[in-house]
């Protein structure tokens, strides 16, 4: 995002619209810190500028990934989904991403309101790839990898800043504890916040298999459930 300096009167009204505080006032001059801006579009869409000085410059690759991961209106070509471009894990009964015997793990980097550089997403991805996880194919973060087997990202993307990115994977149940421990250890090396999502199918006895692992590790977990009664969309059928 850019500010037209010929139109701007440095009133500062746009500053508190930016979720990552990229609009700054220095020596009475307001401007967007282009390196910090995640291209979320909020300042422009809020229509707060009395002079219509805020404008969207052409978004070319690799900068375009900022908008893909930060602007709720940008649709990911991989999935046709806006926001961060991937289905929520709780839709597992429709997507079937995490079948019996597996655990779904998603690492959400950058929230709340701080953002993340993609080199931190790469750190997590490379650490868990070494444990043999399978990254979710229908997630734009996976297509940012030059090699999903190693979790290495395309070099030109590493310094791009986004509001949030989700590294999403399926892990065999028996490997889940080790993968979670790796994520906790790697998290200490990151420059950003992260939140962790864990998902598994309720078993025949009504238990959530992943809760056994979480309890064993002694970590706090907010338990959220979702029941699809089958209205409107067909349920995923395991083969
Ligand atoms: S596009 Fe978003 S991140 Fe960039 S300056 Fe505007 S509000 Fe801030
Ligand atoms: S609201 Fe408009 S005029 Fe005021 S500082 Fe921001 S860009 Fe400049």
């Amino acid at each position: 995002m850019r500010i037209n300096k010929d139109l701007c009167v440095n009133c500062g009204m746009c500053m508190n619209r930016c979720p990552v505080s990229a609009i700054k006032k220095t020596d009475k001059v307001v401007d967007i810190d282009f390196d910090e801006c995640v291209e979320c579009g909020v300042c422009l869409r809020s229509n707060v500028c009395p002079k219509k000085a805020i404008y969207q410059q052409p978004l070319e690759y690799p900068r375009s990934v900022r908008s893909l991961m930060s602007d709720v209106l940008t649709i990911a070509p991989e999935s046709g989904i806006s926001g961060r471009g991937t289905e929520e894990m709780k839709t597992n009964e429709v997507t079937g991403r995490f079948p019996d015997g597996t655990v779904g793990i998603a690492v959400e980097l950058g929230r709340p309101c701080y953002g993340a550089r993609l080199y931190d997403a790469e750190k997590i991805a490379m650490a868990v790839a070494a444990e043999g996880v399978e990254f979710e194919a229908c997630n734009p973060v996976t297509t940012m990898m030059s090699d999903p087997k190693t979790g290495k990202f395309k070099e030109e993307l590493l310094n791009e800043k986004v509001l949030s990115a989700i590294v999403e994977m399926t892990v065999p149940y028996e490997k889940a504890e080790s993968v979670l421990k790796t994520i906790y250890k790697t998290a200490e090396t990151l420059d950003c916040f992260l939140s962790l999502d864990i998902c598994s199918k309720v078993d025949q006895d009504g238990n959530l298999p992943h809760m056994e692992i979480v309890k064993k590790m002694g970590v706090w977990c907010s338990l959220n459930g979702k029941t699809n009664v089958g209205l409107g969309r067909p349920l995923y059928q395991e083969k």
Side-chain angles (χ1 to χ4, degrees):
M1 201 63 69
R2 294 285 197 191
I3 289 177
N4 183 332
K5 302 315 289 176
D6 294 333
L7 298 177
C8 176
V9 292
N10 301 304
C11 66
M13 287 174 67
C14 54
M15 291 173 64
N16 67 2
R17 302 303 164 112
C18 180
V20 291
S21 304
I23 310 179
K24 298 170 180 169
K25 195 173 207 173
T26 314
D27 297 332
K28 297 185 182 171
V29 174
V30 173
D31 205 355
I32 293 172
D33 182 334
F34 202 57
D35 187 45
E36 288 296 315
C37 167
V38 294
E39 301 290 358
C40 70
V42 170
C43 55
L44 180 62
R45 275 201 300 276
S46 69
N47 210 20
V48 69
C49 178
K51 300 295 177 184
K52 307 280 183 225
I54 301 171
Y55 68 98
Q56 179 67 70
Q57 85 288 356
L59 271 174
E60 288 164 5
Y61 181 85
R63 192 172 176 89
S64 54
V65 301
R66 297 189 183 220
S67 165
L68 188 60
M69 294 283 101
S70 313
D71 187 334
V72 291
L73 297 186
T74 304
I75 292 172
E78 295 86 352
S79 59
I81 298 168
S82 62
R84 291 171 293 168
T86 184
E87 289 280 3
E88 292 184 70
M89 300 179 95
K90 67 186 176 188
T91 60
N92 193 40
E93 83 285 17
V94 175
T95 63
R97 285 181 178 180
F98 317 120
D100 287 331
T102 70
V103 173
I105 300 177
V107 184
E108 301 191 36
L109 299 111
R111 294 206 297 184
C113 282
Y114 190 73
R117 297 277 171 179
L118 289 174
Y119 57 68
D120 274 339
E122 184 193 62
K123 277 187 199 165
I124 291 286
M126 289 187 76
V128 295
E131 307 240 6
V133 307
E134 188 180 332
F135 294 110
E136 171 52 46
C138 205
N139 179 328
V141 169
T142 303
T143 60
M144 290 176 196
M145 298 175 193
S146 53
D147 181 3
K149 290 223 167 0
T150 63
K152 181 95 189 85
F153 274 46
K154 294 169 187 165
E155 204 62 33
E156 68 274 17
L157 295 176
L158 291 178
N159 203 40
E160 292 300 328
K161 181 167 179 173
V162 298
L163 199 52
S164 178
I166 308 175
V167 181
E168 191 177 12
M169 67 207 83
T170 307
V171 185
Y173 181 84
E174 57 280 6
K175 281 190 182 176
E177 184 179 349
S178 172
V179 171
L180 288 169
K181 284 180 177 166
T182 297
I183 291 168
Y184 272 82
K185 198 168 158 212
T186 310
E188 291 170 13
T189 70
L190 305 184
D191 293 330
C192 66
F193 297 111
L194 66 77
S195 51
L196 194 56
D197 312 320
I198 310 174
C199 177
S200 59
K201 266 179 68 177
V202 177
D203 67 18
Q204 294 294 328
D205 298 327
N207 300 312
L208 276 172
H210 71 263
M211 284 309 290
E212 199 181 313
I213 301 167
V214 171
K215 278 185 191 151
K216 193 172 155 202
M217 290 178 67
V219 294
W220 179 83
C221 182
S222 167
L223 199 54
N224 298 306
K226 180 187 173 216
T227 302
N228 188 331
V229 293
L231 297 174
R233 296 178 70 180
L235 300 182
Y236 175 81
Q237 295 290 329
E238 273 189 43
K239 295 182 188 86

